Amino acid sequence: MAKKQVVSTTINGQQEEFLCEPRQTLLEVLRDVLDMTGTKEGCSNGNCGACTVLLNGRPIDSCLVLAVEVEGAEIETIEGVAPAGGLHPLQTAFLEQAALQCGICTPGFIMQAKALLEQKPNPTEREIRFYLAGNLCRCTGYDKIVRAVQQAATAQQEVQV
Amino acid sequence: MRDFDYAAPESVQQAVQLLSQANGSGRPLAGGTDLIDQVRMRRHEPDLIVDIKRIPELNVLEIGADGFRLGAAVPCWKITSNEDISRQYTALGDSCSIIGGVQIQNRASVGGNLCNSGPAADSIPSLIALEAVCVIMGPDGQREVPVAEFCTGPSTNVLKPGELLVELRFPPRPAHSGSHYRRFIPRNEMDIAVVGVGVSVVLDESGENFVSGRISLGAVAAKPLFAEEASSLLAGRPVNDETLAAAAAAARAIATPIDDMRGTVEFRQHVTGVLTERVLQRAIERARSGEPGSLHP
């Protein structure tokens, strides 16, 4: 068996060191080694986006990243999104718009939408739909998710004004 | 997933040495969006994965008077967010804006898309239209192969064991030139091309005549095609419906697609002609205006 390697990263602002085999994906390490099970496994082939996390600020499918690749990188997962004792505007909006049913896709959608709003604070509906094209949801039909992202965008802009 | 060793060398020489020593059981890793899934599905069974993203030469992205150099590991997002590429090598920007969704574009590289050598790969018709050349390093030294001659069949190419694609080199873009890539898919996003067409045209100063043109087709043969005859039918001709129709007919004539759930042979051949005309029209608009417009059609 290939030798395990030590990997140092920053996850949600915290320095983390973990031991993993080269064949373990970032998704497996997050869930099974670090017990951060907020990130979900869907298709495990890069189609569904359920495992989306931010790698150096950009959303990626963590099922398509080897954990050994993230040496020195900064990772942000769903566990780092809510401020202490509260919710992120996207989380509030997803609840208020009922933008989830089973919830498996939700952490991925929140991470992807967070990256979108950081890049484009006031996206059009078309921009939202294209940016979220790599995230699949079998429950909502997407409209509620799009409305939640629009609500969060408005809420974030009101806070800034 | 299958057990393998992992190395992340910091020079081309080390990478080539590692791949040569692995004797055919090593695979280079750039964005991993094809490779990691293929290892999981046992389409590849490597004993060694060589991460090439720490090698400076494979991260080069330079546009100058000599043309454009693109390191094989540069991810799609760096291409779509680069204004010089969007302006000058627009077809490549078009391709990179529709390879998978945002998550995939943040990892996947053009070099990887080429080396994966899928017949429907979205970047390859653009590379062929823009006359890109592969710079390959191997145990016996460096060689160059035009992208039009790189793929040999579905998932196969000219790379020998131990060889590594280092970069893609594009010639400078002439004045009054424009390019475009578009594919037909039954969805709005995130699908595999039923037909893909990449085009580059050079017009004369009046914008009314072609100086030259290059047309390339994806998803209609065992490998991406350079439509040589269709391209030659543009050179020196006036920009009009007749010229476009003649080129489209010649492009359609070399399409030998498969039948599958995405389209029949007849449908794909028909779409090849229609798309060739439409992609030419967009490339002409870009050549005339000097403006790329939005990347996504």
Side-chain angles (χ1 to χ4, degrees):
Chain A
M1 204 173 71
K3 232 170 99 178
K4 284 195 174 185
Q5 298 193 16
V6 181
V7 178
S8 315
T9 61
T10 307
I11 303 182
N12 300 326
Q14 305 254 17
Q15 195 72 30
E16 292 274 0
E17 273 199 357
F18 58 81
L19 202 58
C20 72
E21 293 176 51
R23 64 172 164 178
Q24 285 180 293
T25 62
L26 176 59
L27 173 64
E28 285 171 61
V29 166
L30 286 172
R31 291 183 56 86
D32 303 340
V33 177
L34 300 171
D35 287 329
M36 298 174 73
T37 54
T39 305
K40 303 304 181 199
E41 178 177 16
C43 65
S44 253
N45 62 23
N47 272 296
C48 80
C51 65
T52 301
V53 303
L54 307 190
L55 177 60
N56 295 326
R58 310 196 76 87
I60 51 90
D61 295 318
S62 60
C63 71
L64 292 182
V65 177
L66 299 178
V68 285
E69 285 182 76
V70 305
E71 170 66 37
E74 281 189 24
I75 292 157
E76 198 180 334
T77 70
I78 189 69
E79 285 89 348
V81 168
L87 290 176
H88 186 278
L90 274 163
Q91 293 172 311
T92 307
F94 268 64
L95 287 172
E96 289 179 359
Q97 294 289 342
L100 66 152
Q101 286 180 36
C102 82
I104 288 284
C105 70
T106 312
F109 268 103
I110 301 255
M111 297 315 290
Q112 187 70 12
K114 186 170 180 290
L116 168 64
L117 296 184
E118 278 163 14
Q119 219 177 77
K120 267 202 177 95
N122 192 18
T124 64
E125 181 184 338
R126 184 183 161 83
E127 284 168 343
I128 294 171
R129 288 186 185 272
F130 271 106
Y131 203 88
L132 300 180
N135 295 74
L136 302 184
C137 171
R138 301 304 304 269
C139 302
T140 62
Y142 302 100
D143 282 356
K144 293 170 171 185
I145 292 173
V146 173
R147 284 201 288 272
V149 177
Q150 288 170 320
Q151 180 183 320
T154 309
Q156 279 188 330
Q157 286 193 313
E158 279 168 4
V159 170
Q160 279 158 9
V161 171
Chain B
M1 207 177 342
R2 171 193 175 79
D3 190 32
F4 51 76
D5 283 308
Y6 169 85
E10 292 183 5
S11 75
V12 173
Q13 198 189 356
Q14 285 172 352
V16 168
Q17 199 175 7
L18 285 162
L19 289 167
S20 304
Q21 285 165 354
N23 211 7
S25 72
R27 300 289 299 193
L29 167 72
T33 54
D34 284 314
L35 180 65
I36 293 174
D37 183 52
Q38 288 163 354
V39 174
R40 193 182 279 120
M41 301 310 288
R42 294 170 180 265
R43 265 185 63 193
H44 289 304
E45 301 195 317
D47 293 324
L48 172 69
I49 282 187
V50 179
D51 187 347
I52 54 173
K53 291 189 292 296
R54 293 181 193 265
I55 305 171
E57 289 91 331
L58 278 90
N59 289 299
V60 163
L61 199 164
E62 269 178 30
I63 299 187
D66 298 340
F68 168 31
R69 293 175 57 204
L70 177 67
V74 173
C76 289
W77 73 267
K78 285 197 179 168
I79 293 165
T80 52
S81 60
N82 184 303
E83 279 188 23
D84 291 330
I85 298 173
S86 301
R87 187 161 292 277
Q88 297 185 46
Y89 299 88
T90 321
L92 186 65
D94 291 328
S95 294
C96 291
S97 74
I98 55 175
I99 292 177
V102 172
Q103 292 98 323
I104 299 296
Q105 289 161 21
N106 280 337
R107 285 268 292 169
S109 67
V110 172
N113 194 234
L114 177 58
C115 291
N116 190 54
S117 301
D122 285 311
S123 74
I124 305 179
S126 295
L127 297 175
I128 292 173
L130 295 167
E131 283 186 273
V133 172
C134 306
V135 179
I136 297 165
M137 189 62 96
D140 302 327
Q142 185 177 307
R143 65 183 178 122
E144 295 189 1
V145 177
V147 173
E149 294 161 23
F150 183 83
C151 298
T152 51
S155 306
T156 59
N157 56 51
V158 300
L159 287 180
K160 294 179 214 143
E163 282 191 324
L164 177 69
L165 176 66
V166 176
E167 67 174 54
L168 293 154
R169 282 193 193 150
F170 302 72
R173 297 292 290 158
H176 314 294
S177 62
S179 64
H180 184 36
Y181 173 79
R182 195 186 299 187
R183 67 184 177 193
F184 175 83
I185 55 171
R187 305 180 71 221
N188 287 327
E189 259 290 12
M190 296 277 289
D191 206 349
I192 299 168
V194 176
V195 177
V197 177
V199 155
S200 167
V201 298
V202 184
L203 307 182
D204 66 8
E205 231 168 274
S206 71
E208 297 302 323
N209 301 289
F210 288 104
V211 173
S212 63
R214 285 176 70 88
I215 300 170
S216 175
L217 310 176
V220 295
K223 57 179 185 174
L225 301 175
F226 170 48
E228 200 171 350
E229 196 197 333
S231 302
S232 70
L233 288 173
L234 299 174
R237 302 288 170 92
V239 178
N240 59 28
D241 290 350
E242 201 187 332
T243 307
L244 266 55
R252 185 190 157 126
I254 62 163
T256 54
I258 55 166
D259 255 318
D260 72 2
M261 62 179 177
R262 289 193 166 74
T264 59
V265 168
E266 193 188 7
F267 178 72
R268 283 187 151 106
Q269 285 172 335
H270 176 71
V271 172
T272 302
V274 174
L275 211 52
T276 299
E277 283 189 60
R278 291 185 188 172
V279 174
L280 275 166
Q281 283 160 354
R282 185 73 188 273
I284 292 161
E285 282 168 25
R286 284 173 167 171
R288 284 175 171 165
S289 69
E291 293 298 326
S294 68
L295 284 184
H296 212 287

